[in-house]
Amino acid sequence: MPTTRVTLASNSNQSQKTPLLIPDSASLDPNASPSCYSLVIKTAQSKLRLRKAQRVFVHGGQELTRQKDWEHLLEDDVVLLVSVGEESQVEGDKGRKIAENLRGLEGVWRTQKARETWLGHAEVTASYSAGEEWDAALGTIGAGNHFAELQVVEDSVMCKPTSATEASQHELHESDTHISASDIRAARLAVQARKVVDIYHNNVQVTTTWPPSLKPDENNGEFSSRLADLWIEAPQKYYIHRKGAAPTHDPLTYIPLSILPLPGSRATPTLILHPTFSATNAHGKTNALSLAHGAGRALSRAKAASYIAEKYAGKTEDLLRGDFVKADKRGNKLFGGDNAGGRNVHGACWVVCEEKQLVWEEAPEAYKDLWDVGEDLLKKGCAERLGWCRGRVSYKVRKE
Ligand SMILES: Nc1nc2c(ncn2[C@@H]2O[C@H](COP(=O)(O)O)[C@@H](O)[C@H]2O)c(=O)[nH]1
Ligand SMILES: [Mn+2]
């Protein structure tokens, strides 16, 4: 019987593979029975142990959904990547399309009049306008190395039940001792509820108490009394100058942030941290009410530019592709196989960056290991990890 010889691989762990001979009798119409699609799914379930196998892709991100995809892409020796639906709407080809169509984030937002109106403060009839030159940055992603990223919350969010409770205000009971599906859902909701998460950083904050007190009602009074031990009595101004760090509180209200993202690079996840305040970190004093605002550079911009330009000579354009993901600097592209959770670097971002120099300077290899940085913060009692998100489209700059 004539057959087509293909290899099936798990989309999230592509070293996990199995051969499959598809008989010509199998229909190319995915809705027929038996179809090439149903055979692929069944084989992935039994041989790759992907119980929830549901989507089939080829390298490059194109998904085989319609009969004509199967007609066009099914051939001898093709590798079919089978996923359990971990992708989001911005996965694969969609990510590429979004990246292609996304533009103007660095361009001015509305008119100066509209910006001034937005910056006005009706109650105190004051305006925070700083003049046209500066207001022009309002509503843009900013300049320099700023970026905006579309990310998805990964399914495998792990969290402590108490963190999930605080973060999401979901009705989870603090006495829960195991991580349940509802905890995971709660952590996801916490992140998703704030669909746009900005990261304050490099700011100067003025405070008159050190450390600032938290609202007693948030801590049943107990926390405030412990903080009192640390208070410096005389009210005077203290300045917290952050460079490479983000505040653990909303700088205006002093209310602790429920989540604080810790980005790694355009190809690695963003950890979702929950700042903590306990005796271990002297209620935030140890870390100056701040957390790292990113993994941070491992290579200077100059070193990264020359190293990456040489390493990927002639392939700079490929570095912008979401399907051109190289192993991280430890070589652990699929670190730990299926149990790696967010550690693998599968499925990176489609990047919009029309400045070659920046593409090289901000390559994933130029940054420290996000997981190590995150782990240090956890070990010092400065934060808990609620989960992580994965970038799908990263917008840096267009030259338009
Ligand atoms: N998710 C992404 N994270 C990135 C990217 N480029 C850099 N980074 C991380 O962000 C912090 C902050 O950047 P900085 O330039 O202001 O220091 C940095 O420490 C990196 O770890 C990216 O494209 N996507
Ligand atoms: Mn920085």
Side-chain angles (χ1 to χ4, degrees):
M1 181 171 47
T3 55
T4 308
R5 189 183 60 239
V6 303
T7 300
L8 306 188
S10 156
N11 192 35
S12 62
N13 176 3
Q14 292 174 21
S15 61
Q16 195 187 342
K17 329 183 233 207
T18 187
L20 172 66
L21 293 176
I22 302 182
D24 274 3
S25 56
S27 171
L28 291 164
D29 175 3
N31 298 317
S33 179
S35 66
C36 299
Y37 171 75
S38 64
L39 265 177
V40 166
I41 296 297
K42 269 191 202 143
T43 312
Q45 286 169 334
S46 60
K47 297 280 196 273
L48 300 178
R49 278 181 285 159
L50 297 174
R51 274 191 308 115
K52 293 186 182 161
Q54 51 174 278
R55 296 173 68 181
V56 185
F57 298 85
V58 286
H59 280 297
Q62 189 172 345
E63 186 172 1
L64 288 83
T65 51
R66 298 155 304 171
Q67 178 163 348
K68 71 175 191 217
D69 300 324
W70 287 91
E71 285 167 5
H72 179 56
L73 297 166
L74 185 68
E75 56 183 21
D76 270 332
D77 298 323
V78 71
V79 177
L80 298 176
L81 304 169
V82 184
S83 91
V84 293
E86 64 270 24
E87 302 77 14
S88 74
Q89 292 177 327
V90 284
E91 183 74 17
D93 216 33
K94 287 188 187 137
R96 179 177 63 75
K97 283 185 189 144
I98 290 173
E100 271 169 16
N101 291 320
L102 203 55
R103 50 194 66 244
L105 298 197
E106 62 282 85
V108 291
W109 177 69
R110 299 196 174 169
T111 59
Q112 174 60 10
K113 193 161 185 307
R115 293 192 288 270
E116 276 171 18
T117 308
W118 194 87
L119 288 163
H121 194 304
E123 276 165 38
V124 288
T125 56
S127 171
Y128 295 108
S129 169
E132 186 154 7
E133 187 189 347
W134 301 103
D135 293 356
L138 186 70
T140 72
I141 52 171
N145 54 7
H146 294 193
F147 57 88
E149 217 160 80
L150 293 178
Q151 304 198 336
V152 291
V153 181
E154 292 233 315
D155 269 348
S156 45
V157 169
M158 300 293 285
C159 61
K160 286 188 180 173
T162 48
S163 316
T165 313
E166 289 165 20
S168 69
Q169 280 140 25
H170 250 61
E171 288 166 8
L172 293 175
H173 299 294
E174 302 223 353
S175 55
D176 286 355
T177 51
H178 61 281
I179 295 166
S180 67
S182 59
D183 299 328
I184 293 171
R185 265 199 310 279
R188 291 186 72 189
L189 285 171
V191 179
Q192 285 166 345
R194 293 182 52 195
K195 290 211 162 91
V196 177
V197 184
D198 198 2
I199 310 174
Y200 287 100
H201 68 291
N202 298 348
N203 70 337
V204 178
Q205 184 183 345
V206 186
T207 177
T208 48
T209 50
W210 174 251
S213 66
L214 302 179
K215 284 192 168 175
D217 57 351
E218 288 185 1
N219 303 285
N220 304 325
E222 188 201 339
F223 201 75
S224 309
S225 66
R226 276 194 262 145
L227 274 181
D229 299 340
L230 301 164
W231 279 2
I232 296 166
E233 286 293 321
Q236 53 180 358
K237 281 186 181 176
Y238 295 90
Y239 293 88
I240 306 176
H241 181 187
R242 299 185 176 90
K243 177 82 184 90
T248 50
H249 294 66
D250 180 315
L252 299 175
T253 62
Y254 287 140
I255 294 174
L257 298 175
S258 57
I259 55 170
L260 188 52
L262 181 71
S265 75
R266 65 189 182 217
T268 44
T270 289
L271 299 187
I272 302 302
L273 300 180
H274 168 71
T276 45
F277 309 89
S278 71
T280 318
N281 69 335
H283 311 291
K285 189 181 177 196
T286 309
N287 46 312
L289 300 176
S290 313
L291 291 179
H293 79 244
R297 301 199 70 87
L299 298 178
S300 70
R301 285 190 175 265
K303 266 199 191 132
S306 64
Y307 165 64
I308 305 292
E310 196 177 316
K311 183 171 170 190
Y312 297 103
K315 291 187 185 162
T316 302
E317 286 300 312
D318 288 342
L319 289 177
L320 306 176
R321 299 181 60 90
D323 53 3
F324 184 75
V325 181
K326 294 291 168 193
D328 70 15
K329 63 187 181 342
R330 290 179 168 184
N332 53 5
K333 179 170 181 175
L334 295 164
F335 182 92
D338 267 356
N339 298 324
R343 276 203 91 119
N344 68 59
V345 293
H346 152 73
C349 269
W350 290 84
V351 183
V352 179
C353 186
E354 294 182 353
E355 254 179 50
K356 269 190 184 173
Q357 186 76 14
L358 262 191
V359 178
W360 299 326
E361 288 177 3
E362 300 188 354
E365 292 96 321
Y367 294 93
K368 291 179 200 151
D369 186 309
L370 168 77
W371 299 88
D372 286 350
V373 174
E375 204 55 44
D376 283 351
L377 294 172
L378 305 194
K379 267 197 232 143
K380 293 282 179 191
C382 306
E384 288 174 352
R385 195 179 74 205
L386 298 188
W388 57 84
C389 296
R390 192 142 347 221
R392 287 292 180 248
V393 179
S394 190
Y395 189 105
K396 297 209 177 208
V397 66
R398 278 200 194 279
K399 284 185 181 163
E400 289 184 334

